[in-house]
Amino acid sequence: AEAEVKKEREKAIAVDAALAKEEAEVKKEQEKAMEADAALAKAEAEVKKELEKARAAGDAAPAAKAEEGKAQEAADAEKDKEAAVAEKEQHGSSGAHGAGGTGQVGILSAFQATKGIKFLPFQKVLDFGRIPRSSEGLTVQAAELEEDTFKIFVSHRWLSPWWPGAGFQPPKLDHRPDGKDEGHPDRTGHPKYELLVAALLRMQADGWIPKDIDKVALWIDFACIDQDGKNPADELNESMIRLVGLCDMVVTPVVDDEWPDGEDWEGFKSRSDMEGAVGGVAEGYKAKAWKEYWKRAWCLLE
């Protein structure tokens, strides 16, 4: 896992270098566009001056010539501007593909960075009373959120594999329109939902996240990716880099059955012991559910 994390960090460094290079190129193209605008303004001013001279002399021929020159100068300047803008858009649209994509990185406009990404307002999570499915329609487009909205990426492993004949069936689960059954991130009693909400409310009280509940939004795969799509995993794969770039925090709710009420469990340590362990809480917290989380490829990537 450490080797894979190191590899991902190296990729991130390479991405940063490529991003800086692309930013320099886009800046250069922007300067070209500004120069084209300046040339156009100068040409128009000169043509206007010539027209005024022609009218003062009462000579129609110079006026006609000036008009022709104006049209040509304007056309040339406009072409230069369009070329610069096209070049800029080409760099911007090269895009950043998610993990498993082509690895190309470019400068994304605000629209490109948020396109197709949805978030779940924290207030709607509280009102709904459990982790909602995408079909509930409670999410909003990232571009619709206020600029100062605090965005939280919820990274977790699903708790309820659900298949015909399974001994456990989570309550109130919808069937897909195609008749297939599906898993669920939570289970009976909604322990993950309760844990997540309790953690976020505690973080609000402690000042980790905004106290204004309308300024907090979550990204949860079950709610924010179309669960009725052809391949929900592909949707996340294509937007992972952009999504993580938009978020301010990653939260991992671990439903720990070994320690439901503070009882002892194998490898039990106090909070201070866990925080002081070599490797920090990631190594000091020995709950099986936490260790299982780190075995999941998607969780590791996130």
Side-chain angles (χ1 to χ4, degrees), residues 164-221:
F168 167 75
Q169 299 291 333
K172 300 180 180 178
L173 288 183
D174 297 327
H175 285 262
R176 293 166 59 110
D178 57 13
K180 296 180 180 179
D181 294 325
E182 63 183 5
H184 194 279
D186 214 341
R187 66 184 189 203
T188 302
H190 314 294
K192 181 180 290 183
Y193 169 84
E194 297 291 343
L195 176 63
L196 179 61
V197 167
L200 295 179
L201 292 177
R202 173 67 178 271
M203 283 191 275
Q204 279 189 317
D206 290 348
W208 285 42
I209 63 178
K211 287 183 169 56
D212 184 350
I213 202 166
D214 293 328
K215 296 295 185 181
V216 179
L218 312 180
W219 187 92
I220 305 177
D221 50 7

Side-chain angles (χ1 to χ4, degrees), residues 40-53:
L40 178 59
K42 182 179 180 180
E44 289 178 339
E46 292 177 351
V47 169
K48 183 179 180 180
K49 186 176 180 180
E50 291 298 323
L51 283 172
E52 290 173 350
K53 287 181 179 180

Side-chain angles (χ1 to χ4, degrees), residues 251-301:
V251 170
T252 300
V254 177
V255 177
D256 185 355
D257 294 319
E258 298 175 287
W259 196 16
D261 299 308
E263 299 173 356
D264 288 356
W265 44 269
E266 184 179 356
F268 169 80
K269 295 182 180 181
S270 68
R271 176 173 176 176
S272 61
D273 288 337
M274 287 189 289
E275 293 175 343
V278 176
V281 176
E283 292 299 325
Y285 182 30
K286 301 293 185 180
K288 292 179 181 178
W290 178 239
K291 296 303 179 183
E292 179 66 22
Y293 166 85
W294 286 101
K295 294 178 182 178
R296 301 299 176 96
W298 269 114
C299 295
L300 185 62
L301 177 63

